[in-house]
Amino acid sequence: FFFWIRRPPRFTLVPYTTLCRSNIAADAPAELQPDLAATLDEINRLSRLADGLLAVARAEDQETTPEAVQVDSVIADRIALWRSVGDERSIDLVDQSRSVVAMISAGHLEQILDNLLANAIEVAPTNSAIEVTADRDKHNVVVTVVDHGPGLAPQARELAFRRFSGLGDRGSRSAGLGLAIVGSLAKANHGSAHLDETPGGGLTVVLSLPAAD
C-alpha cells in the first residue's frame, strides 16, 4: 500500500495493463490466461481505487497552485494514452477540442480526464464513440466528455459526485470514486462539474475551469 500512495498522481496503470493483456493473449499458455486476465483486472481496480483516494485527499487537504495549461494538448495526450483501451472494446475516442488555455494545478486535468475516460469506456456500448470537447465560454474553459452508455437517473446524477456513492445502473463501478475525484479537483481549482443526459441516451460530464487571460 505504501508503494501506491507514493507514486506520482499522473500515473495510471490501466492502459499499460491493457497492453499486457494483449501480450498474454498472444504468448501465455491457454490454461493460464483466465487467471492472468483476472489478475490484471484486479490490478486495474486497485490502481483506480488508490489513485482515487489519493486524488480526493489531496484536493481536499492541500492548497492548489493553478497555472496556465493548454487544455487541448492535454486532451490529445490522454486520448492517445487511452486509445488502446477503447480499441480493445471497439469504442472510438473522438477529440473535438479547440485550442484553449485554462488555469489549473499541474497534473489535475490529467487526473480528471483519466477518471472520466475510464468511466465512459467502462459503460460505453461496443461500436460506439466517446466525444471529448473543449471550448471557451466567456471567462471559463468548458470541457465535456460525452458517452452513449446507460446514463444515470436524475436522482443518481445529484449524488454521483459524493465519495463512495456508487453509480447504480452505470454498471460495475461500485467504488464510486471517479466522479468524486472529478468534483473535488474541479472545486479545488475554482471550477465546477455537473452531469447532463446525452441526447439519445448516455451521460455528459461538463467541466468548467477558469480560463487563462
Side-chain angles (χ1 to χ4, degrees):
F1 188 75
F2 179 75
F3 166 77
W4 294 105
I5 289 297
R6 295 284 295 177
R7 62 195 174 93
R10 296 188 189 186
F11 185 71
T12 180
L13 288 175
V14 177
Y16 301 104
T17 54
T18 297
L19 294 177
C20 290
R21 193 187 305 274
S22 298
N23 292 333
I24 287 172
D27 301 328
E31 64 271 18
L32 295 180
Q33 289 191 17
D35 288 340
L36 291 172
T39 299
L40 290 177
D41 287 341
E42 184 64 8
I43 290 171
N44 287 345
R45 187 187 70 81
L46 292 173
S47 173
R48 289 194 296 267
L49 181 61
D51 279 341
L53 290 169
L54 182 58
V56 171
R58 284 180 169 172
E60 292 177 347
D61 296 338
Q62 296 184 10
E63 293 185 3
T64 56
T65 53
E67 59 186 57
V69 171
Q70 191 72 40
V71 173
D72 51 299
S73 295
V74 176
I75 290 173
D77 288 344
R78 302 329 282 177
I79 285 180
L81 181 65
W82 284 92
R83 192 170 299 283
S84 62
V85 183
D87 289 346
E88 187 182 57
R89 304 187 183 194
S90 299
I91 297 168
D92 190 18
L93 303 183
V94 181
D95 184 353
Q96 299 176 335
S97 56
R98 298 180 59 186
S99 178
V100 287
V101 181
M103 297 300 296
I104 186 169
S105 295
H108 282 188
L109 183 57
E110 288 88 342
Q111 282 251 318
I112 289 170
L113 289 170
D114 283 343
N115 279 282
L116 294 181
L117 290 171
N119 283 351
I121 289 171
E122 187 171 343
V123 299
T126 301
N127 298 319
S128 68
I130 295 168
E131 298 95 9
V132 184
T133 73
D135 208 343
R136 178 78 179 253
D137 179 17
K138 295 184 179 179
H139 302 296
N140 296 313
V141 168
V142 179
V143 177
T144 65
V145 177
V146 181
D147 72 53
H148 303 276
L152 279 174
Q155 60 269 31
R157 292 200 297 268
E158 294 178 3
L159 300 174
F161 289 106
R162 296 183 183 179
R163 194 186 309 189
F164 298 112
S165 65
L167 291 177
D169 59 355
R170 290 285 284 177
S172 61
R173 262 173 280 153
S174 58
L177 276 173
L179 290 176
I181 297 164
V182 171
S184 293
L185 291 177
K187 183 178 179 181
N189 286 278
H190 309 290
S192 63
H194 71 271
L195 305 179
D196 290 330
E197 182 179 1
T198 301
L203 191 69
T204 296
V205 184
V206 182
L207 172 71
S208 180
L209 296 168
D213 294 332

